[in-house]
């Protein structure tokens, strides 16, 4: 993710545009500040119907009071979805014929549904008896040695919580199933990602889920925002999805899961390495493989506050909440499903550790500005119903050797290009604010 920022080598006067979808070369533009056109907005869209908030895996083990408190906060945020772990390691820890659904899973499922939340059930991780021989000792993030063991587990879960459950209180409580978590990333696919094994698990799980509940939605494991690693320890989301198709995965999923994290970069700042931008690339792969009617689900994303070099200020975190749901519900809306923010509450109090501070609430439960912004977005959308407006000209500084050109592919988004003094193509982005030349 190498970037060249704050190096202004081109000069242009460009018009900053709000709520706009245009393409224009800016060599001679004379539109005044009252010029208008139709705007792409999300103001009339029910954003909340496509939005969720995750409390993290710890919610499974919380006390009744703490779990209810967290679900109260999620419901009060306006989110309509939650992503929860269907923990294979816990449920079948004692062997392939022992099932411990009611120890934690039933309680959370019933509580989430009582709060009006739709559930994505993420089926992971392997119990000791089901792990591969090369799984590091004690590591539960290993894929299944026998893909059919995993398939039987997910099928049993769909039978228990799906539309045909024999239990009235559980029937229809989970109808969306995510097949593992970040299988393209070594941390969650030990000892290293294995597209052959994962594809076999996906196929087995898909058949088992559909046999139990034909109306269920099966989602591929959400891809981590990883680059391709030469040693195979990580696959980029696009490379991973291409690999699944190459192994015959088409027809064995209903949606593609993705985790478009990209902090501290703003999600609307388009770069090939930006995992939010890569949502489009994933859909392009789907289209190329005959799956244009299927959608990309953002099963996890977020951004931390704090003092870590890759964290944001609390004010920036609130802005990122807005911008994520803006892009998801305008530019990407036609080919995406729900997007789930991770997470509800900070998991620690060390401001220098970004992983402690992903919450919209602080560890003590007090609200960050991001929680209030999340509520605002859920209640009122993220766009404006007003026509687009041209603002005044703004100098970007520096020198250039060509006329500038600009394009916009989404709301509040302008990309400006010019040839710099070094003879190379330079680019600058406006996504609510101007970012440096690169």
């Amino acid at each position: 993710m190498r970037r060249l920022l704050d190096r202004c080598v081109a000069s242009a006067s460009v018009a900053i545009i709000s709520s706009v979808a245009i393409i224009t070369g800016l060599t001679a533009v004379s539109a005044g500040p009252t010029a208008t056109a139709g705007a792409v907005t999300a103001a009339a869209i029910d954003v909340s119907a496509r939005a969720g908030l995750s409390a993290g895996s710890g919610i499974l083990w919380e006390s009744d009071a703490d779990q209810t408190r967290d679900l109260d906060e999620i419901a009060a945020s306006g989110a309509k979805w939650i992503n929860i772990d269907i923990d294979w390691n816990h449920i079948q820890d004692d062997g392939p014929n022992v099932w411990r659904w009611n120890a934690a899973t039933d309680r959370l499922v019933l509580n989430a549904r009582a709060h009006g939340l739709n559930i994505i059930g993420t089926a992971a991780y392997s119990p000791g008896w089901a792990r591969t021989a090369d799984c590091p000792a004690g590591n539960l993030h290993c894929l299944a040695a026998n893909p059919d063991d995993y398939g039987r587990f997910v099928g049993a879960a769909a039978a228990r919580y799906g539309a045909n459950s024999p239990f009235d209180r559980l029937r229809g409580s989970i109808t969306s199933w995510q097949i593992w978590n970040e299988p393209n990333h070594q941390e969650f696919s030990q000892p290293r990602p294995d597209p052959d094994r994962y594809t076999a698990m996906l196929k087995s799980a898909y058949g088992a889920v559909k046999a139990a509940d034909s109306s269920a939605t099966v989602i591929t494991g959400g891809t981590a925002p990883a680059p391709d690693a030469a040693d195979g320890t990580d696959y980029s989301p696009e490379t991973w999805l291409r690999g699944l198709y190459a192994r015959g995965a088409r027809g064995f999923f209903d949606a593609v899961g993705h985790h478009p994290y990209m902090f501290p970069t703003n999600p609307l700042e388009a770069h090939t390495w930006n995992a939010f931008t890569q949502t489009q690339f994933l859909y392009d792969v789907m289209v190329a493989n005959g799956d244009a009617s299927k959608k990309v689900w953002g099963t996890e994303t977020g951004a931390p506050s704090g003092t870590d070099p890759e964290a944001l200020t609390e004010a920036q975190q609130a802005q990122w909440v807005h911008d994520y749901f803006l892009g998801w519900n305008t530019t990407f809306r036609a080919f995406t499903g729900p997007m789930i923010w991770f997470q509800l509450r900070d998991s620690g109090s060390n401001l220098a550790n970004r992983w402690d501070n992903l919450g919209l609430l602080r560890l003590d439960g007090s609200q960050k500005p991001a929680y209030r912004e999340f509520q605002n977005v859920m209640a009122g959308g993220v766009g404006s119903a007003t026509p687009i407006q041209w603002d005044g000209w703004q100098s970007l500084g520096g020198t250039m050797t060509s006329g500038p050109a600009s394009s916009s592919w989404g709301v509040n988004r302008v990309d400006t290009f010019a040839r710099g003094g070094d003879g190379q193509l330079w680019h600058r982005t406006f996504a609510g604010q101007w970012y440096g030349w690169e």
Side-chain angles (χ1 to χ4, degrees):
M1 293 186 283
R2 294 180 60 190
R3 291 176 290 164
L4 301 175
L5 299 178
D6 302 321
R7 290 177 56 187
C8 297
V9 299
S11 174
S13 294
V14 301
I16 301 173
I17 305 166
S18 62
S19 300
V20 60
I22 65 165
I23 298 179
T24 180
L26 294 182
T27 52
V29 179
S30 59
T34 59
T36 64
V40 178
T41 78
I45 295 170
D46 183 2
V47 173
S48 66
R50 293 164 32 88
L53 183 52
S54 171
S57 60
I59 194 171
L60 269 170
W61 319 114
E62 289 181 336
S63 68
D64 289 346
D66 286 349
Q67 186 178 101
T68 297
R69 174 205 62 194
D70 283 350
L71 292 171
D72 285 346
E73 293 282 12
I74 292 173
S77 77
K80 298 296 190 293
W81 288 83
I82 186 172
N83 185 354
I84 70 171
D85 285 353
I86 307 300
D87 189 344
W88 187 21
N89 176 61
H90 166 71
I91 293 167
Q92 286 203 287
D93 184 47
D94 292 333
N97 298 313
V98 179
W99 308 83
R100 295 189 296 185
W101 302 106
N102 61 356
T105 312
D106 283 1
R107 181 183 64 133
L108 177 56
V109 168
L110 291 168
N111 207 356
R113 291 298 295 146
H115 282 79
L117 299 172
N118 300 304
I119 299 171
I120 299 172
T122 298
Y125 300 96
S126 299
W129 60 266
R131 297 169 194 161
T132 55
D134 59 354
C135 181
N139 193 311
L140 53 84
H141 293 161
C142 296
L143 300 182
N146 180 356
D148 287 339
D149 286 336
Y150 177 75
R152 279 190 291 272
F153 167 71
V154 185
R160 185 174 184 84
Y161 301 111
N164 299 312
S165 173
F167 306 104
D168 291 346
R169 64 190 188 124
L170 299 175
R171 188 176 303 130
S173 53
I174 305 179
T175 55
S176 299
W177 297 95
Q178 181 171 219
I179 307 306
W180 210 259
N181 174 60
E182 299 191 349
N184 65 314
H185 179 40
Q186 186 180 39
E187 181 179 353
F188 292 101
S189 192
Q190 290 283 331
R192 66 182 58 230
D194 185 340
D196 293 305
R197 187 176 300 278
Y198 177 77
T199 301
M201 290 170 58
L202 176 65
K203 290 180 176 181
S204 182
Y206 182 86
V209 169
K210 293 297 185 176
D213 181 0
S214 61
S215 64
T217 299
V218 176
I219 311 161
T220 62
T223 44
D228 287 315
D231 63 358
T233 53
D234 281 311
Y235 290 75
S236 72
E238 186 179 357
T239 298
W240 181 257
L241 183 58
R242 289 185 187 280
L244 300 190
Y245 276 115
R247 289 162 175 81
R250 184 172 186 264
F252 292 94
F253 59 85
D254 303 308
V256 168
H258 182 46
H259 295 174
Y261 289 100
M262 207 59 248
F263 57 84
T265 301
N266 184 282
L268 301 183
E269 186 178 340
H271 300 279
T272 57
W273 44 259
N274 186 326
F276 191 80
T277 305
Q278 290 168 3
T279 305
Q280 176 70 64
F281 304 162
L282 290 174
Y283 183 66
D284 292 344
V285 173
M286 295 161 68
V287 171
N289 284 276
D291 277 340
S293 63
K294 297 179 181 178
K295 296 189 176 184
V296 181
W297 286 39
T299 53
E300 185 179 314
T301 197
S305 60
T307 58
D308 184 292
E310 294 190 9
L312 312 173
T313 66
E314 289 192 350
Q316 287 175 319
Q317 186 190 37
Q319 183 64 48
W320 265 229
V321 167
H322 174 275
D323 291 351
Y324 263 104
F325 285 101
L326 171 65
W328 199 258
N329 286 281
T330 53
T331 306
F332 295 160
R333 181 176 176 83
F335 56 85
T336 57
M339 183 169 65
I340 314 300
W341 191 268
F342 185 91
Q343 61 187 5
L344 172 66
R345 184 186 306 273
D346 286 347
S347 56
S349 57
N350 179 5
L351 294 178
N353 181 353
R354 59 185 178 274
W355 307 116
D356 275 3
N357 297 282
L358 284 158
L360 301 184
L361 305 177
R362 303 180 186 91
L363 184 62
D364 64 6
S366 59
Q367 295 179 1
K368 297 182 188 178
Y371 182 85
R372 295 187 289 276
E373 180 60 23
F374 191 98
Q375 288 182 309
N376 292 339
V377 168
M378 296 304 105
V382 287
S384 170
T386 59
I388 67 167
Q389 299 290 328
W390 289 97
D391 290 341
W393 293 96
Q394 175 182 349
S395 173
L396 301 182
T399 60
M400 67 180 182
T401 61
S402 73
S406 291
S407 68
S408 176
W409 49 266
V411 178
N412 261 352
R413 178 56 192 253
V414 178
D415 292 276
T416 299
F417 303 87
R419 184 184 299 114
D422 59 359
Q424 302 298 308
L425 181 66
W426 286 80
H427 165 242
R428 196 174 191 191
T429 298
F430 178 83
Q433 63 180 2
W434 283 106
Y435 295 89
W437 289 97
E438 60 178 358

